[in-house]
């Protein structure tokens, strides 16, 4: 059965950890859905792991909608989160609502995610008012990483930790039903998780969060440009993929592929064509 916001929120109450992975295409989304992942995030990490940019900043609404729709087609059961790209909600509440509704109407997403604390509260409130469910995102917010001094752990001193906790509470009050905490000390993530009635999903935020998310290409060892400390590699697919591709190249060159088995045969006498 397709998952709903009620199912996701109930998991916190029951103490069942929520599993979230990123997905960008229908083939992988189907596989993850079959495995039983609760939530699929069509993250703007798309820009870095699929589109080849060196940050998430250049990703557009059209990029996101294209991939989010593919993920939705592949995954009928999982709860699909569309990540609002940089520039799609910073230009005003009307733009934010218009773009969020596109994720729901055109791509079939179940909700949207956007980065930021108190500054985005009016946007979150308006989206929820418009019927769009919202996941917040605090801690390291990659779209504004340059303002944070780079890709660094956030909330390390008491003042920053207090600000993050307050931001979490105001996002919850504005109607966010779930919160991603990225690169946050585990002690702080634990406090935020305990103070909220909505679930937290951690990435580099320790084990006390109500759920975990990883970038699929990182955890399967397909994206090998760099490895953030919080990633655990559950597979090393890149060498296997390389081996398969190199074997294919060698067999095409040698004539070993395609063999009879991968070719079609006919009883027709084609000799008049020679
Ligand atoms: O874009 C993304 O994949 C994300 C996760 C890192 C949470 O926002």
């Amino acid at each position: 059965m397709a998952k709903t916001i009620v199912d996701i929120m109930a998991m916190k109450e029951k103490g069942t950890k929520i599993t979230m992975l990123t997905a960008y295409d229908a083939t992988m989304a189907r596989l993850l859905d079959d495995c039983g992942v609760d939530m699929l995030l069509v993250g703007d990490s798309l820009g870095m792991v699929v589109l080849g940019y060196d940050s998430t900043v250049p990703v557009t609404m059209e990029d996101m909608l294209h991939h989010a729709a593919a993920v939705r087609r592949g995954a009928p059961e999982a709860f699909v989160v569309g990540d609002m790209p940089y520039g799609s909600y910073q230009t005003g509440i009307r733009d934010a609502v218009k773009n969020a509704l596109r994720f729901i109407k055109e791509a079939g997403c179940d909700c949207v995610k956007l980065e930021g604390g108190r500054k985005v509260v009016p946007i979150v409130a308006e989206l929820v008012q418009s019927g769009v469910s919202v996941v917040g995102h605090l801690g390291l917010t990659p779209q504004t990483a340059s303002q944070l001094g780079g890709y660094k752990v956030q909330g390390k001193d008491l003042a920053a930790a207090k600000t993050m906790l307050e931001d979490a509470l105001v996002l919850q009050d504005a109607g966010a039903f779930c919160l991603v905490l990225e690169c946050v000390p585990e002690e702080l993530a634990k406090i935020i998780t305990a103070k909220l009635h909505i679930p937290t999903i951690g990435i580099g935020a320790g084990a006390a969060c109500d759920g975990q998310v990883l970038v699929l290409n990182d955890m399967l060892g397909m994206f090998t440009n760099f490895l953030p400390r919080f990633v655990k590699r559950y597979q090393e697919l890149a060498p296997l993929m390389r081996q398969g591709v190199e074997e294919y190249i060698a067999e095409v060159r040698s004539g070993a592929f395609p063999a009879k088995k991968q070719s079609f045969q006919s009883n027709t006498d084609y000799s008049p064509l020679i």
Side-chain angles (χ1 to χ4, degrees), residues 20-25 28-29 32 37 39-46 49 71 83 203 213-219:
M20 182 196 261
L21 283 170
T22 67
Y24 314 101
D25 65 71
M28 292 307 291
L32 302 178
V37 172
M39 299 174 87
L40 292 180
L41 170 63
V42 189
D44 64 355
S45 49
L46 168 82
V49 297
V71 168
D83 204 5
I203 174 161
V213 56
L214 282 175
V215 170
L216 184 72
N217 302 45
D218 287 340
M219 61 88 79

Side-chain angles (χ1 to χ4, degrees), residues 13 33-34 52 65-66 90 95 104 144 210 225 233 243-244 250:
E13 274 166 45
D33 208 18
D34 286 348
L65 290 174
H66 187 244
Q90 289 84 353
D95 286 348
I104 310 297
T144 48
D210 299 302
N225 295 18
R233 284 242 170 99
Q243 191 188 331

